[in-house]
Amino acid sequence: MSVTLETFHSTVLQGNPLGDPADRRIPVYLPPGYEDSDRRYPVLFFLTGFTGKGTMFLNERAFEETLPQRLDRLIGAGQVQPLIGVMPDCFTRYGGSQYLNSAATGRYEDHLIDELVPWVDKTWRTRGTKSSRAVAGKSSGGYGAIVHGMRHPDVFGHVLCASGDMYFEYAYWNGFLDTLVTMGKYGGLNKFMETIPTIRPKDQKWFSLLNTVGMASSYAPNPASPYGFDLPLDERTGALLPEVWARWKAWDPVTMVDTHLDALRSLDSLYIECGNRDEFHLQFGARMLVDKLKAANVRHHYEEFDDGHMNIDYRWDVSLPALNFQ
C-alpha cells in the first residue's frame, strides 16, 4: 500500500466567504506496483459524507479496514483493477459544501472539477480520459457523485452513489423541525454559526442544526440574507417558504434527473445503492430516482441492501467491483 498525503493550494478557494483554508490536505492512493512500472491507471475520486474530509478515509477503526487497505485487498484479489484513488477535502466551517459552488461558502465544484482533476492527471500516471475516471461517495459524498455525474459527464465516465442525499422532503424535513426548536438554545442562528467549533456537547440536536445550515448554505445562498443563505421555512411558524424551497429542490437529484438524462445515458457505468433501513429515509429517494432512470431507459445498476446509513463501509466490497473501468 502506498498513500501520499499532498497539500494542494486552491486558487478558487482563496478568499472564500467563510475564511476556510485554501490549502487542503489530499490523500492519494497509489496501487501496488505503481513505482515499479510506467503503466497508466484509471482514477477514482472518493467523496466523503457531511462533516468529512478526505483524510478520514485513512482512519483506523476496530474491526474495519481503512480505504487504502480495502483497495489493496480488492485489487490483490482481482476484484478491482489497479487504480489511483484521490480523496478530496471539500469541508467547510458549516460541515460541508455538497461539492457545489456557493456564494455562502466558496467554489467547491470548481475546486473539484477545474483544479483537482487536471492536477491529478498532470501529477500521476493516469489514463486521462472520462472512461477511465470515476467519482464515488456515500451520503453527501454520494450526492456529490451523482450530481457531478449529471453536471460533468465529460469529466466522469463512472458514478458510484451510495446512500446519497435525495428527495429532500424526506432527507431533511425532520432536521428542520429540530432546527427550529434548537436555534434558541444557542442564542439564535448567527450565534450558533459563530461558535460551531467550540459548542459542547455536539449532540444529535446540534448535528441537525449544523446539517440544516450546511444544506442551506449549499442550496440557497443569498448574500442579502443576514445568514448569507435562506432557510426554507419561517423561523417562528415553521411554514414552508415555497420560493426558497424551490431553490433547494432544484438541487435534488430526483428533480435534476429530469433535465440530465442525456448526461446519465453517456456514462459508462452508473451504480446506485441504499440501505432499506436508512435513518434519513434515503431509500425512498433512491427508488424514485431509479424509477425515473428505468422509465427513460438509462443504463444503471441499483442495489438495496438490508442495513441503515451508518457503518456500511463493507459495502465498498460490492460497489467498487461494479464500476466498469476502461
Side-chain angles (χ1 to χ4, degrees), residues 11-12 16 20 50-51 56 61 76 87 126 141 162 196 213 217 255 259 270 295 298 316:
T11 300
V12 302
N16 65 78
D20 287 328
F50 188 65
T51 71
M56 293 176 68
R61 293 180 292 149
M87 303 161 228
T126 71
I196 285 170
V213 168
S217 65
T255 303
T259 53
L270 172 58
V298 175
W316 291 119

Side-chain angles (χ1 to χ4, degrees), residues 12 17 71 134 144 151 156 179 211 229 271 320 326:
V12 302
L71 288 172
R151 288 173 59 81
F156 299 111
T179 292
N211 193 68
F229 53 79
Y271 179 95
L320 289 177
Q326 296 178 21

Side-chain angles (χ1 to χ4, degrees), residues 66-215:
T66 66
L67 180 59
Q69 289 169 342
R70 187 177 302 274
L71 288 172
D72 271 359
R73 176 173 56 79
L74 291 173
I75 291 170
Q79 295 177 268
V80 172
Q81 72 166 286
L83 58 82
I84 295 170
V86 183
M87 303 161 228
D89 172 10
C90 291
F91 181 79
T92 75
R93 180 183 176 86
Y94 296 158
S97 62
Q98 295 298 90
Y99 303 92
L100 302 175
N101 290 341
S102 167
T105 58
R107 295 164 53 194
Y108 288 88
E109 181 172 3
D110 290 346
H111 171 57
L112 177 63
I113 302 300
D114 297 335
E115 289 190 324
L116 294 188
V117 169
W119 170 67
V120 169
D121 285 343
K122 180 179 178 181
T123 307
W124 288 277
R125 296 196 311 275
T126 71
R127 295 179 186 167
T129 66
K130 65 161 280 185
S131 292
S132 62
R133 191 181 298 118
V135 58
K138 177 213 160 191
S139 195
S140 284
Y143 172 86
I146 190 73
V147 165
H148 288 305
M150 288 192 266
R151 288 173 59 81
H152 301 285
D154 58 323
V155 175
F156 299 111
H158 309 270
V159 169
L160 192 170
C161 172
S163 307
D165 295 14
M166 56 186 72
Y167 200 64
F168 291 175
E169 287 88 341
Y170 292 168
Y172 301 141
W173 267 103
N174 284 345
F176 290 164
L177 299 178
D178 284 343
T179 292
L180 293 177
V181 172
T182 308
M183 283 168 56
K185 171 182 176 181
Y186 298 110
L189 194 53
N190 273 327
K191 184 65 174 178
F192 172 77
M193 293 188 295
E194 291 170 3
T195 56
I196 285 170
T198 59
I199 291 174
R200 300 291 187 277
K202 288 178 168 55
D203 56 15
Q204 183 57 45
K205 300 292 187 182
W206 173 90
F207 180 83
S208 292
L209 182 49
L210 181 70
N211 193 68
T212 297
V213 168
M215 299 308 123

